[in-house]
Amino acid sequence: MLGLLGDLRAESEELDALVASLDSEGWALATPSPGWSVAHQIAHLIWTDRAALLAVTDPEAFAEESEKALAAPDSFVDEGAAAGASLPPAELLARWRDGRVRLGNALRAAPPGARFPWYGPPMSAASLATARLMETWAHGQDVADALGVRREPTARLRHVAWIGVRARDYAYLVRRERPPAEPFRVELTGPGGELWTYGPEDAAQRVTGPVLDFCLLVTQRAHRADLAVRAEGADADHWLDIAQAFAGPAGAGRAPKEAR
């Protein structure tokens, strides 16, 4: 758990370094998420960090927030980001820094074996930290794209890949589809050439490719046509069309580059 929280802190600090020196024009830059500026991306992380903190420390208050989300599933994320993005950049940055420290402390103090409510299935402290790392990396990718920065992939992507694999069935259920009964084999090449594997070696349905491309796919930061992720089997092929590592409604994803 300490190693995971260290990775979450490192992921946050990498994104922090991208935005800390931006002027007001930089915070207002448009990102690939329609209608979202750099400020919206950081505001969303503040919003979700606060929700995670409530889930860990005050489940009743989190339940109230969750009811608001269920009442407006198609707008609550945008509304939360827009509210935060209206703040002065210095205040936005300070709130993000404070909130992620508070969340890290709460997760570190969580009782072993405890499970906490979330917008999808309940999560352990480790799963919740992994989800926060995944979102930080994904929204950090949007910021990097807006700034024209290429980030080097790190071993922290194993956390994003893990939650992407674990969320396979959720991607079907959120679209009111029945998940395949059999497990898939996923083989991903890590940043240093190492092989990360998930699922039984003899599975008929298989997914292979670079871990960076897989993470871009499951966070819906790139279209599969632009990525070197490959499927063997009809079920695995369909999964690559709908995969999502995040809770909430099915995402629209990104258009292929040639269609932009």
Side-chain angles (χ1 to χ4, degrees), residues 97-108:
R97 288 171 172 170
D98 178 67
R100 69 191 200 227
V101 169
R102 289 174 181 270
L103 177 59
N105 290 339
L107 290 170
R108 189 176 294 108

Side-chain angles (χ1 to χ4, degrees), residues 26-31 33-48 77-87 92 139 142-143:
W27 282 90
L29 281 174
T31 70
S33 297
W36 280 33
S37 65
V38 170
H40 283 78
Q41 301 289 346
I42 301 302
H44 176 69
L45 292 177
I46 294 171
W47 187 90
T48 44
V77 171
D78 286 336
E79 290 170 357
S86 65
L87 296 171
L92 195 63
H139 291 283
D142 290 337
V143 172

Side-chain angles (χ1 to χ4, degrees), residues 48-221:
T48 44
D49 281 348
R50 176 181 175 274
L53 182 62
L54 286 178
V56 174
T57 62
D58 192 346
E60 291 186 1
F62 174 80
E64 293 179 5
E65 292 297 314
S66 182
E67 286 296 324
K68 295 177 184 177
L70 290 173
D74 297 324
S75 61
F76 79 99
V77 171
D78 286 336
E79 290 170 357
S86 65
L87 296 171
E91 183 177 349
L92 195 63
L93 185 58
R95 287 193 184 190
W96 179 42
R97 288 171 172 170
D98 178 67
R100 69 191 200 227
V101 169
R102 289 174 181 270
L103 177 59
N105 290 339
L107 290 170
R108 189 176 294 108
R115 298 188 70 80
F116 305 101
W118 196 238
Y119 298 103
M123 289 190 174
S124 66
S127 292
L128 197 53
T130 304
R132 299 309 311 127
L133 192 154
M134 177 271 296
E135 274 222 290
T136 302
W137 179 82
H139 291 283
Q141 185 63 45
D142 290 337
V143 172
D145 287 343
L147 299 176
V149 173
R150 183 185 182 277
R151 301 187 300 172
E152 290 297 324
T154 72
R156 296 190 299 271
L157 288 176
R158 69 185 185 275
H159 302 300
V160 183
W162 179 85
I163 204 168
V165 172
R166 292 274 294 179
R168 186 200 75 167
D169 287 3
Y170 181 80
Y172 288 87
L173 295 172
V174 77
R175 291 166 174 79
R176 301 183 184 278
E177 299 180 21
R178 179 178 296 178
E182 70 276 14
F184 293 178
R185 174 72 168 184
V186 178
E187 297 181 352
L188 304 173
T189 304
E194 65 276 27
L195 188 65
W196 296 338
T197 63
Y198 311 84
E201 189 173 358
D202 61 350
Q205 305 291 322
R206 308 173 69 86
V207 169
T208 59
V211 68
L212 174 60
D213 286 21
F214 180 78
C215 291
L216 290 169
L217 179 78
V218 298
T219 58
Q220 297 188 357
R221 261 52 194 181

